Amino acid sequence: MTSATIAQGHDPLAETGEVYEDAVVIRLIQFSVLWAVVAMTAGVYISAELLWPTIDLGQFWLSFGRLRPLHTNGIIFGFGVSALMATAFYSVQRTSHVRLFSPALAWFCCYAWQLVVLLGGLSLLAGWNTTKEYAELEWPFDIAIAVVWVIFGVVFFGTIARRKIRPIYISNWFYGALIIVIAMLHIVNNLAIPVTVDKSYSLYAGAQDAVVQWWYGHNAVGFLLTGGFLGMMYYFLPKHSGRPIWSYRLSVVAFWAFTYSYIWAGPHHLHYNAIPEWVQSLSVVMSVILLAPSWATMINGIMTVSTAWEKLKTDPALKFIVLSLAFYGLATFEGPMMSFPSVNVVSHFTDWTIGHVHSGALGWNAMITYGTFYFMVPRLVGAPLHSVRLANIHFALALAGTMLYIVAMWGAGVSQGLLWLSVDEIGELSFSFKDVMTSMQPFYALRLIAGLIFLTGTLLMTYNLFKTLAGRQAVVAKAPPVDPAYAINKEVTA
Amino acid sequence: MSALSLHKKIEENTGLLIFGILLVSAIGGLVQILPVLNQKSLEEPTVNTKPYSAIELTGRDIYMREGCSVCHSQQIRPLIAEVERYGPYSRAGEFVYDRPFMWGSKRTGPDLHRIGGKYTDDWHRIHLIDPRTVVPESIMPGYPWLAERAASETGNIVAKMTALRKLGHPYTDAQIAAAESDLEGLMEIDALTAYLQILGTGLDEEIAR
């Protein structure tokens, strides 16, 4: 923290530092918020379709089966990845004390990614769909994603390679793992033989394809939605609370344990499915082990902020980040519990899964991103947030929406799971599928309301950030001088 | 070299960090996923499992395009209630020609793995166009456009079967040559119905009973 303090004190040496490339960060934040609104609106709309199935008006592109992948891909790749690129570019410069390696490539990365998300989204509406969850985009987009991803990696690791600070800060490890592991998963899972521009067939078939897909699907959640956003947490939480990481050593141990153990847990998505049993059992063991690094990281975050609780009273951005850690803790506890075969037998194929995903996606990913955006945007343009009051209202809406969503889906999921399995004393099924399905309507109505509440909050933030950014440019931020104790030693090669 | 000083090296070296992450994250896949890809028993079809015909394959691609697998699983677990509700539990050998697999993760609607033969073709056609005419409580979307589009326009059937043959599906030259004429006169709804009717019929009749 010493170097940062010197910089704020207008040290004359600061004049010598490189100027950070921040305009690209602002643009990525704008795109991220835009995709959040688009993809969440799609989510609200399809949740309404489950109540009123005819509101697709007989239009193929409004059909549930096409809008649902648009919703998930829009959130993960539009909202999520744009936010991760923005925060990675912002924090890697500040933890390396240099400007981005090749700002031109960073800008290319920014716009090329948005083009992939836009055209990819339209292709999903057109019905180009591989059906592999979170990998629905067809092969031309898979190739484009791989290319942009490599460029993202070049900009990111290139910046680290020319850093002026000797240690590589922990947030950069998580962003680094995001880039490397997602590249590996994406390429292996999407291997296919192209037929036409809109059609390909997977290189894997049946049970083998299932195992590869959930190795990908589970770890896209692991290294993108968990690991990537932990990178965000490790930079912005200490920065914002003004406290150093509680235990740097714990963060190091938890990082490697996380990176090693997450990758094994995928087949818990295939319990009692037609795959080898040892693969399922192993995934349970590793899922339970995974709880340790997950919670170690949560505890590290909570302890970091534990001497700064008073800031929560006045600072909506920090409230979002701290609350997101609580939901992170909830979701990473619920996950291993759902991996137990005895729990999974109830939860699998039900709305419980949907609830679990949203406790992560709304409670953790969206909240930490919102908190981070409220923190970054005023700093990027050197002006106060347009309205702190609106941000506080947003916080209340986000919390209420997320809680209501999770509770509604727990209710729906647990009832579905138990009612489907229920047999009477002579072994006959107690309920028809139709009975159970029709009893879901109250839960689906609650979920729609929850989604509307959460979306309203997101719209308030969009307005708030837009007003803060309007007519303003990125302020010139320079790298502060490096504390000699941490300076790059010429003998150490990077 | 102690663990801490080794870590200090990784912590200060970009190349080592990249290599370390790649190595540590790859182990799980190498030990757990790779053996599954090499397990030949998972590639053995059950007795009556055949590669999809030109019509069924077209139907399956429509099923993919419309995202049916978002709400319908094709995987019956070996549990009493599931076997009673849907039929014999799913075997790996029934899916060897499924590229990709479509087991699904959510049952907003019922499982469809053993749907084949349970309803008539006509029932499926009516149900697909407007599900509520036959199941008033249904929340499934209608697919009226399937009755208006020719099955031959769903994609390039010859290219599809040729690609699948490259991947090991035993199509004969005659089957591929006849593919286009097989689709003649059929609408997309017919192809999708043909696919639904073949689902789950790959088991030995002994087991299926």
Side-chain angles (χ1 to χ4, degrees):
Chain A
M1 288 299 138
T2 42
S3 48
T5 324
I6 295 168
Q8 278 153 14
H10 300 292
D11 188 279
L13 278 175
E15 301 302 319
T16 61
E18 290 185 23
V19 175
Y20 294 143
E21 173 57 55
D22 280 345
V24 70
V25 176
I26 294 179
R27 186 52 43 87
L28 280 162
I29 291 174
Q30 289 168 325
F31 279 123
S32 174
V33 172
L34 170 78
W35 294 126
V37 171
V38 171
M40 287 178 193
T41 305
V44 167
Y45 186 72
I46 58 175
S47 77
E49 287 187 338
L50 291 181
L51 289 165
W52 305 290
T54 55
I55 59 170
D56 64 8
L57 311 170
Q59 300 297 311
F60 66 85
W61 57 278
L62 286 176
S63 188
F64 188 96
R66 300 195 189 201
L67 279 176
R68 197 265 196 176
L70 179 88
H71 166 62
T72 52
N73 284 277
I75 288 294
I76 299 172
F77 299 108
F79 169 58
V81 170
S82 299
L84 288 170
M85 281 181 179
T87 54
F89 287 164
Y90 183 91
S91 62
V92 75
Q93 299 184 91
R94 283 156 176 84
T95 52
S96 302
H97 284 214
V98 288
R99 179 206 277 264
L100 280 181
F101 170 76
S102 181
L105 277 183
W107 277 102
F108 174 81
C109 194
C110 165
Y111 282 113
W113 188 258
Q114 308 314 322
L115 197 65
V116 169
V117 175
L118 176 69
L119 296 179
L122 293 175
S123 81
L124 290 171
L125 294 185
W128 301 19
N129 183 354
T130 69
T131 78
K132 293 176 79 158
E133 279 184 81
Y134 321 128
E136 285 94 345
L137 294 176
E138 267 296 350
W139 66 274
F141 295 103
D142 291 339
I143 293 172
I145 287 171
V147 170
V148 181
W149 204 256
V150 168
I151 293 168
F152 179 26
V154 168
V155 174
F156 182 80
F157 288 114
T159 309
I160 293 182
R162 54 187 294 271
R163 73 193 183 281
K164 296 231 171 73
I165 302 220
R166 194 156 28 93
I168 302 170
Y169 181 66
I170 185 72
S171 63
N172 294 321
W173 300 19
F174 279 97
Y175 285 120
L178 157 79
I179 293 168
I180 293 166
V181 182
I182 292 295
M184 171 177 81
L185 298 167
H186 171 77
I187 292 169
V188 174
N189 185 46
N190 284 300
L191 289 177
I193 292 211
V195 180
T196 42
V197 67
D198 59 344
K199 183 74 195 168
S200 64
Y201 287 116
S202 173
L203 213 57
Y204 321 99
Q208 296 173 333
D209 191 38
V211 172
V212 173
Q213 155 60 23
W214 284 112
W215 170 74
Y216 164 87
H218 181 73
N219 292 296
V221 174
F223 288 86
L224 203 158
L225 297 176
T226 309
F229 285 81
L230 285 176
M232 205 185 271
M233 189 277 281
Y234 270 121
Y235 180 78
F236 290 96
L237 182 70
K239 203 73 195 164
H240 201 159
S241 61
R243 303 288 186 276
I245 284 292
W246 179 61
S247 165
Y248 198 81
R249 184 173 293 188
L250 181 62
S251 70
V252 168
V253 174
F255 171 79
W256 290 111
F258 168 88
T259 305
Y260 174 77
S261 48
Y262 218 112
I263 211 90
W264 299 77
H268 71 210
H269 293 253
L270 298 165
H271 278 330
Y272 296 107
N273 284 202
I275 63 163
E277 211 167 296
W278 69 269
V279 178
Q280 301 179 29
S281 310
L282 186 55
S283 78
V284 179
V285 175
M286 297 311 281
S287 302
V288 175
I289 289 176
L290 190 53
L291 186 58
S294 299
W295 272 34
T297 305
M298 176 191 68
I299 291 165
N300 214 353
I302 296 284
M303 293 306 287
T304 298
V305 80
S306 68
T307 52
W309 292 126
E310 78 285 350
K311 292 187 184 222
L312 290 179
K313 286 187 204 154
T314 50
D315 186 344
L318 192 60
K319 275 200 286 202
F320 268 111
I321 297 179
V322 171
L323 183 69
S324 78
L325 270 174
F327 278 108
Y328 167 79
L330 170 75
T332 54
F333 176 76
E334 193 184 26
M337 293 308 114
M338 290 170 78
S339 83
F340 285 118
S342 50
V343 178
N344 193 274
V345 80
V346 175
S347 75
H348 198 49
F349 294 130
T350 72
D351 278 303
W352 189 349
T353 309
I354 313 296
H356 173 62
V357 169
H358 284 81
S359 73
L362 301 177
W364 158 241
N365 299 120
M367 295 240 199
I368 193 168
T369 305
Y370 293 167
T372 300
F373 285 176
Y374 280 130
F375 172 84
M376 284 164 84
V377 167
R379 277 164 186 76
L380 282 166
V381 293
L385 187 66
H386 171 69
S387 166
V388 173
R389 186 154 170 268
L390 269 188
N392 276 317
I393 296 171
H394 176 199
F395 177 80
L397 291 174
L399 176 57
T402 306
M403 287 308 297
L404 189 60
Y405 196 110
I406 298 172
V407 170
M409 290 297 97
W410 272 336
V414 174
S415 346
Q416 283 162 349
L418 294 176
L419 298 179
W420 288 340
L421 292 174
S422 166
V423 286
D424 63 19
E425 60 274 16
I426 54 161
E428 300 270 334
L429 292 171
S430 310
F431 305 95
S432 73
F433 189 90
K434 207 160 58 183
D435 291 340
V436 182
M437 187 196 77
T438 46
S439 70
M440 289 302 121
Q441 295 296 306
F443 297 117
Y444 287 172
L446 273 184
R447 185 254 302 271
L448 172 60
I449 295 167
L452 277 171
I453 294 173
F454 198 89
L455 175 63
T456 307
T458 304
L459 289 171
L460 288 184
M461 178 189 74
T462 308
Y463 171 78
N464 208 352
L465 294 182
F466 173 79
K467 289 296 270 186
T468 310
L469 284 169
R472 297 195 173 94
Q473 299 262 310
V475 292
V476 176
K478 284 182 180 175
V482 177
D483 185 327
Y486 295 106
I488 278 274
N489 186 332
K490 289 287 173 213
E491 289 130 58
V492 182
T493 47
Chain B
M1 194 189 287
S2 78
L4 269 180
S5 64
L6 169 71
H7 198 268
K8 197 169 180 312
K9 261 206 145 90
I10 299 173
E11 205 175 318
E12 296 175 359
N13 187 311
T14 320
L16 274 182
L17 179 60
I18 295 175
F19 177 74
I21 291 171
L22 194 58
L23 183 77
V24 168
S25 66
I27 296 170
L30 293 173
V31 176
Q32 190 188 29
I33 310 301
L34 212 54
V36 174
L37 292 181
N38 287 317
Q39 189 173 334
K40 292 294 163 217
S41 66
L42 295 175
E43 299 168 15
E44 296 284 328
T46 52
V47 204
N48 294 318
T49 300
K50 306 271 181 326
Y52 296 105
S53 72
I55 300 168
E56 292 152 8
L57 185 65
T58 302
R60 189 172 199 270
D61 289 338
I62 295 165
Y63 189 99
M64 288 176 70
R65 185 187 73 198
E66 300 301 340
C68 304
S69 56
V70 163
C71 292
H72 294 285
S73 57
Q74 289 186 16
Q75 184 70 206
I76 301 162
R77 297 177 293 174
L79 308 167
I80 290 172
E82 299 226 339
V83 172
E84 272 193 52
R85 193 183 299 280
Y86 301 116
Y89 69 86
S90 306
R91 269 70 163 188
E94 298 180 82
F95 302 98
V96 296
Y97 301 120
D98 280 16
R99 295 178 195 268
F101 81 113
M102 282 200 279
W103 296 356
S105 60
K106 178 71 172 51
R107 286 177 184 155
T108 304
D111 186 277
L112 296 183
H113 187 211
R114 305 267 177 233
I115 196 73
K118 282 197 181 156
Y119 298 89
T120 63
D121 288 359
D122 281 340
W123 186 91
H124 278 300
R125 284 197 198 96
I126 296 167
H127 181 252
L128 283 167
I129 291 170
D130 181 6
R132 276 153 297 281
T133 50
V134 279
V135 185
E137 307 88 342
S138 173
I139 56 170
M140 180 171 131
Y143 296 88
W145 56 90
L146 298 182
E148 294 155 15
R149 295 176 51 164
S152 55
E153 284 164 29
T154 308
N156 185 336
I157 188 65
V158 172
K160 285 177 183 177
M161 290 172 82
T162 311
L164 286 173
R165 185 155 72 171
K166 272 188 213 143
L167 290 166
H169 295 211
Y171 289 122
T172 62
D173 290 339
Q175 275 175 302
I176 295 179
E180 279 177 333
S181 58
D182 286 348
L183 293 179
E184 247 168 61
L186 296 179
M187 304 311 275
E188 287 196 329
I189 203 164
D190 304 314
L192 181 53
T193 301
Y195 170 65
L196 292 171
Q197 295 291 25
I198 197 80
L199 274 178
T201 59
L203 272 191
D204 186 291
E205 276 163 23
E206 200 63 20
I207 304 172
R209 227 182 302 126

